[in-house]
Amino acid sequence: MAQQVCQRFVEARFIEAADGKTYSHFPMKGALWRLTPKGIQILKKFCDRNGIEAGHIGPLIRGSQSQIVVLERDLETDKLIQDRTTVEVVFRRMCGIDGPNLKSPAVQSDSDSISEYGSSLVGVRMAKDRRVYDKMIPYTLTGKAAADWLLDCCTLMSRRETYELCELFIKWQLLELLVEDRNYVRSNFMASHFQPTKYAIYAVTEKGQRICGWLTRPASVSSEDSSDMSKEKRRMPKDTNMNRFNTIMTDPALRMLFKEHLEASLCEENLNFWLDVQEFLLQYRQQQDTGRLARPDTVRECLATAYGT
């Protein structure tokens, strides 16, 4: 059981071998392990949320300057929330906040080193220009580089989740496949959409470049569309702080960005408390509607949750 838990830590990139070796499976002996930058950030968020102040943890957390993208999950199923806006936000982060992480020549961008992915502030390695057949294509990356960045710099727990996100990048025309890894496809018949190998080459599409802000967006919408937008705007509720807050709380992408802003402002715990209270009230009303509050064990559970919050 303990080995299985440690194996999950390895797969989620929470820990890594201290000697730099890569292990696909957690060995019972013969290896020394340390926390990855992602693992330190996960530990920091856990300690902050639960008010843990251990003396041996403080120096480790304070010494880390890395950042990760905290993705929203469904509270009941724990599945990633994959609406289009959230996926586009993650795609922009992957491509680089301050512009593309260009490496020239292309061989350097395909390096197996993951040291550059210690923070979400640095985008995925890309080749500035890569010759594909008879054309020079800008902004190309390998499937392995995309999967590694997502796993190292986001709160993803497995490679399967990284593949799901990359498939959405392709589905919504943010990435396009240039060179197929035929060997991988032959051994993985369901991998036609995304191939997470260093031999599969992808390019950022024109739409993806606009999403990242590398290209100017198309001209303004037509007068007919503008008229429709004006009518819709008139039907919108009054712009108040409460309405803005409700809009943010109901949009997963805005909520994710709002949490990052609060974390930078040193007041993320206020939002976490508000969310915990809302979840508690929802569960309380459900228990009340089903009549389970008449049972003593249910009352004790509600009290324990309230004190824990």
Side-chain angles (χ1 to χ4, degrees):
M1 182 65 179
Q3 186 178 14
Q4 293 177 354
V5 173
C6 291
Q7 178 63 33
R8 292 297 303 273
F9 292 163
V10 173
E11 293 173 355
R13 295 282 179 88
F14 291 168
I15 59 175
E16 62 183 355
D19 58 4
K21 293 182 180 179
T22 302
Y23 292 90
S24 58
H25 298 283
F26 183 85
M28 291 299 293
K29 57 183 179 179
L32 184 64
W33 298 87
R34 64 185 178 187
L35 291 177
T36 63
K38 174 182 177 179
I40 294 175
Q41 289 302 307
I42 295 294
L43 175 62
K44 179 179 182 300
K45 291 182 179 299
F46 177 82
C47 292
D48 291 344
R49 188 174 182 84
N50 294 279
I52 299 175
E53 297 181 358
H56 65 287
I57 294 178
L60 177 66
I61 292 176
R62 289 192 295 270
S64 175
Q65 301 297 323
S66 62
Q67 294 187 22
I68 58 175
V69 180
V70 181
L71 300 178
E72 294 276 329
R73 291 180 178 271
D74 186 277
L75 294 177
E76 295 183 359
T77 64
D78 198 44
K79 290 184 178 180
L80 288 174
I81 297 178
Q82 299 177 344
D83 64 290
R84 184 184 291 267
T85 307
T86 299
V87 172
E88 289 181 354
V89 169
V90 177
F91 181 76
R92 286 197 298 270
R93 297 293 177 83
M94 187 184 76
C95 291
I97 294 178
D98 298 323
N101 180 18
L102 297 177
K103 300 294 182 182
S104 183
V107 176
Q108 187 177 357
S109 70
D110 299 339
S111 168
D112 288 334
S113 171
I114 62 173
S115 59
E116 295 181 77
Y117 297 156
S119 172
S120 64
L121 299 178
V122 179
V124 64
R125 287 184 300 269
M126 292 187 185
K128 183 176 181 180
D129 292 293
R130 186 191 303 264
R131 182 173 293 279
V132 179
Y133 305 115
D134 295 331
K135 295 182 179 180
M136 292 296 292
I137 308 296
Y139 305 129
T140 60
L141 64 152
T142 66
K144 181 179 183 301
D148 283 344
W149 189 95
L150 289 171
L151 199 55
D152 285 330
C153 301
C154 301
T155 52
L156 299 173
M157 296 298 295
S158 67
R159 290 218 167 248
R160 177 185 57 80
E161 291 183 336
T162 67
Y163 301 163
E164 289 177 0
L165 271 182
C166 289
E167 287 177 357
L168 291 177
F169 294 159
I170 297 170
K171 176 182 177 181
W172 290 331
Q173 301 176 349
L174 305 177
L175 289 179
E176 63 178 341
L177 178 64
L178 297 179
V179 179
E180 183 180 68
D181 185 350
R182 296 181 180 179
N183 291 331
Y184 182 83
V185 172
R186 278 196 293 267
S187 58
N188 298 270
F189 299 105
M190 301 300 292
S192 57
H193 295 294
F194 178 71
Q195 301 152 29
T197 72
K198 63 180 180 180
Y199 303 107
I201 309 300
Y202 295 86
V204 181
T205 65
E206 184 176 329
K207 178 181 178 180
Q209 294 180 44
R210 287 199 301 270
I211 294 282
C212 295
W214 303 345
L215 294 178
T216 57
R217 292 187 176 273
S220 59
V221 294
S222 64
S223 58
E224 181 178 351
D225 293 336
S226 299
S227 177
D228 293 339
M229 291 176 63
S230 299
K231 293 178 181 178
E232 183 67 24
K233 188 174 182 179
R234 286 195 295 268
R235 289 196 295 267
M236 292 177 63
K238 185 179 179 181
D239 187 18
T240 63
N241 289 335
M242 181 55 69
N243 287 335
R244 293 176 187 173
F245 181 76
N246 290 333
T247 300
I248 291 173
M249 289 296 99
T250 54
D251 187 300
L254 292 178
R255 192 166 59 240
M256 182 180 73
L257 295 174
F258 186 50
K259 284 183 178 180
E260 291 181 354
H261 167 72
L262 291 178
E263 184 176 6
S265 304
L266 303 177
C267 56
E268 183 188 12
E269 61 274 11
N270 296 334
L271 179 61
N272 290 334
F273 175 74
W274 186 88
L275 292 173
D276 289 341
V277 170
Q278 296 303 310
E279 182 180 356
F280 170 76
L281 291 177
L282 177 62
Q283 294 177 354
Y284 177 83
R285 294 189 187 101
Q286 290 175 348
Q287 302 284 11
Q288 191 177 40
D289 293 341
T290 57
R292 296 185 61 187
L293 283 179
R295 297 167 52 181
D297 58 335
T298 303
V299 175
R300 285 194 294 268
E301 290 178 4
C302 288
L303 290 174
T305 303
Y307 280 113
T309 302

